[in-house]
Amino acid sequence: MAGTVQVDAVVVGAGMSGLYMVKRLTDMGLDVRAFEVGDNVGGTWYWNRYPGARVDLESFDYSFSFDDGLQQEWNWTERYAAQPEILKYLNHVADRFDLRKHFTFETRVESAAFDENRNLWIIKTSGGETVEAKYFISGAGVLSTPKPPEIEGLDNFRGKWYHTGRWPHEGVDFTGLRVAQIGTGSSGIQVAPVVAEQAKHLTVFQRTPVYCVPTDNYKLTEEMRNTVKAHYTERRETSRHNRYGVPAEFPTIKAFEVSEEDRRQKYEEAWGEKGHLLAFRMTYADVLADEAANKTVADFLGAKIREIVKDPVTAERLVPKTYPFGTKRPCLGIRFYEIFNEDHVDLVSLHETPIERITETGILTSDGTLHEVDVMVFATGYDALTGAILRMDITGRGHRKLRDKWKDGPRAYLGISTNEFPNFFMITGPLSPGPLNNMAVSIEQHVEWVSDCIKYMEKNGFATIEAQEQPEQEWFDHVQEVVGNTLYLKANSWYLGANVPGKPRVFIPYLGGAGTYRATCDEVAKNGYRGFTLEKSKVEA
Ligand SMILES: Cc1cc2nc3c(=O)[nH]c(=O)nc-3n(C[C@H](O)[C@H](O)[C@H](O)COP(=O)(O)OP(=O)(O)OC[C@H]3O[C@@H](n4cnc5c(N)ncnc54)[C@H](O)[C@@H]3O)c2cc1C
């Protein structure tokens, strides 16, 4: 076909997934083209430039482990790195391994269709290019498709508005302005304190309160870095087998097997210096499985909120009451609750007074109050886990559309690949542990599994690999069964697609634990890719 380029593999995205995927494939000698909508590498950390954006796991752990030279030479400056530092790190990775040359930036993969006769994916981009490839790999991200605000009247608003996930590169100066912030999830609780520092007035509109744990962030010293670097190999190995991908042992002890005093001490540690995103989830084995155990954490955190926030009405609004702790993503913040003690910061509960509409000058709530503002910040989240994949028009065997196949929720064997779509792989795809985990660990695991699988195919002369229907359904059932043994279904979370109108209500991430999941994936590979069909070329030219 004239003007069509042929390569071995096409990779979508220049975040951590895309970068590492491209590295592994090109190291194997494959010819790879990669596409990225943004004008540079970084993915999440390229787009989320809002002030306050910061990783909520320790920087040492939220980084690549695949190259010892890289982890030894890179010097994290803060315990929880802020967005500019992570972006710098990912640029360093791109340069160090000379990866940028494989990417075409400012280009979206619009569609991918599998040609059954030739066992090739035909990929079309927004740049008008057509690329044919044996393998099509999505590193399009789990939280990369911002959910539009969807509030009536936004077009009429005369001021400016921003989504945290598409923050302008030049930054936003809120000095002297009246600001409305809508949303108090992970991004919302990070951005609000920084906006509060600058703005004349900040009104935070909260739909559902979150559990926010304070960040004990500090500058890292040379000594601290050297201590970690000296034991990096063991640290990484522990993370790989931990339930959440962090260097800690998952507890076996249950909350009521210890005294109230012991529990309290453990929770104080998790709230303080030992705190990180997953700390409370790892206090006791049954925190996310047993309601009474969960309530001990919820009560502890509720008491902390009431202690910090002086106005009792505001404090009550901030205390989560409608879902168990941890079943919506808990957040790590700096001074989030404290800002509500400041005179120029207000909280509006959208449960009590929902937004009626946006007017030319502000936000009108159901009690008839017009909250007049100059700027709006939407921290309204993402079409998570499936959004970026389904935005591409993907067609498999028999002209099957992925959008049709997934209309009742995603089906994907191990969350990596899906029946009827041969040679298509998803890094941290739906039904894998992904966002419940340290994503750096999840990404490395998937990239390595996929590249090993491709190596196996190339070595053995296979033309296609395809997930089988029955194991795929069994995996889906297993994912749902595991979640059924937890408290997660008691929350309307983005794990369930509940934040996107019309999205099927299916629990998407795999809760069986990242370490166990890794063992399952390895076992499948070891057994000749059990549950997949591998075929030599059917086409003799
Ligand atoms: C604000 C925020 C904070 C986070 N904090 C943490 C944290 O503390 N710890 C943690 O483990 N995880 C965190 N995450 C999750 C984070 O997304 C992952 O850790 C990780 O960065 C994902 O990397 P990725 O490469 O898979 O996806 P992304 O980084 O999302 O990159 C995907 C890239 O693909 C591009 N893309 C998508 N579709 C197309 C297309 N059709 N064509 C071309 N390009 C496309 C996108 O533009 C994007 O740049 C956070 C996410 C957000 C949004």
Side-chain angles (χ1 to χ4, degrees), residues 194-258:
V194 188
V195 174
E197 268 174 30
Q198 296 174 5
K200 185 163 123 196
H201 194 273
L202 169 65
T203 311
V204 177
F205 292 80
Q206 169 191 272
R207 195 183 58 176
T208 313
V210 287
Y211 289 100
C212 177
V213 176
T215 313
D216 185 19
N217 189 35
Y218 44 75
K219 295 270 176 227
L220 295 168
T221 63
E222 191 67 25
E223 195 189 342
M224 289 171 182
R225 283 194 289 265
N226 288 342
T227 308
V228 169
K229 286 180 186 182
H231 302 284
Y232 233 148
T233 310
E234 300 93 286
R235 187 176 176 120
R236 301 293 203 179
E237 196 50 23
T238 311
S239 301
R240 283 185 196 112
H241 301 287
N242 170 270
R243 187 177 183 82
Y244 295 119
V246 291
E249 293 303 322
F250 189 75
T252 48
I253 200 157
K254 294 184 176 170
F256 291 108
E257 286 171 0
V258 301

Side-chain angles (χ1 to χ4, degrees), residues 12-18 35-38 42-45 47-48 50 54-57 62 107-110 139-144 166 187 190 277 329 382 388 392 427-428 437-440 443:
V12 184
M16 292 179 102
S17 297
F35 296 94
E36 165 58 56
V37 176
T44 288
W45 306 102
W47 296 108
N48 286 267
Y50 61 85
R54 191 178 286 283
V55 67
D56 42 26
L57 296 165
Y62 185 76
T107 305
R108 178 179 288 282
V109 169
E110 303 276 14
V142 294
L143 296 169
S144 60
R166 287 289 178 274
S187 300
Q190 289 187 330
L277 176 65
R329 193 175 190 275
Y382 296 87
M392 295 182 276
I427 305 305
T428 68
N437 202 24
N438 173 356
M439 285 284 287
I443 288 169

Side-chain angles (χ1 to χ4, degrees), residues 53-124:
R54 191 178 286 283
V55 67
D56 42 26
L57 296 165
E58 292 196 46
S59 319
F60 288 124
D61 304 313
Y62 185 76
S63 55
F64 287 121
S65 73
F66 64 77
D67 187 283
D68 193 46
L70 171 66
Q71 65 186 10
Q72 293 296 333
E73 81 197 4
W74 185 260
N75 291 319
W76 291 109
T77 66
E78 290 185 272
R79 185 181 184 203
Y80 298 98
Q83 173 271 332
E85 189 171 13
I86 306 171
L87 186 59
K88 198 169 153 201
Y89 168 75
L90 292 174
N91 272 280
H92 171 72
V93 171
D95 291 335
R96 191 186 201 279
F97 300 106
D98 198 14
L99 302 174
R100 235 179 275 272
K101 65 185 182 204
H102 304 289
F103 284 88
T104 306
F105 293 102
E106 296 181 85
T107 305
R108 178 179 288 282
V109 169
E110 303 276 14
S111 67
F114 188 68
D115 178 341
E116 281 176 74
N117 295 321
R118 296 187 301 146
N119 289 330
L120 285 176
W121 281 95
I122 301 168
I123 289 119
K124 295 197 177 203

Side-chain angles (χ1 to χ4, degrees), residues 312-370:
V313 176
T314 305
E316 277 324 302
R317 287 183 178 140
L318 287 164
V319 174
K321 297 185 182 91
T322 55
Y323 63 95
F325 164 78
T327 54
K328 283 168 88 76
R329 193 175 190 275
C331 308
L332 206 64
I334 298 178
R335 290 193 71 258
F336 173 62
Y337 294 121
E338 285 81 349
I339 60 172
F340 297 102
N341 292 331
E342 295 175 20
D343 290 340
H344 73 300
V345 180
D346 291 327
L347 180 73
V348 173
S349 162
L350 296 179
H351 276 297
E352 293 167 23
T353 52
I355 293 177
E356 293 255 301
R357 67 189 145 86
I358 293 176
T359 70
E360 287 184 357
T361 56
I363 296 181
L364 181 68
T365 44
S366 63
D367 57 347
T369 309
L370 176 62

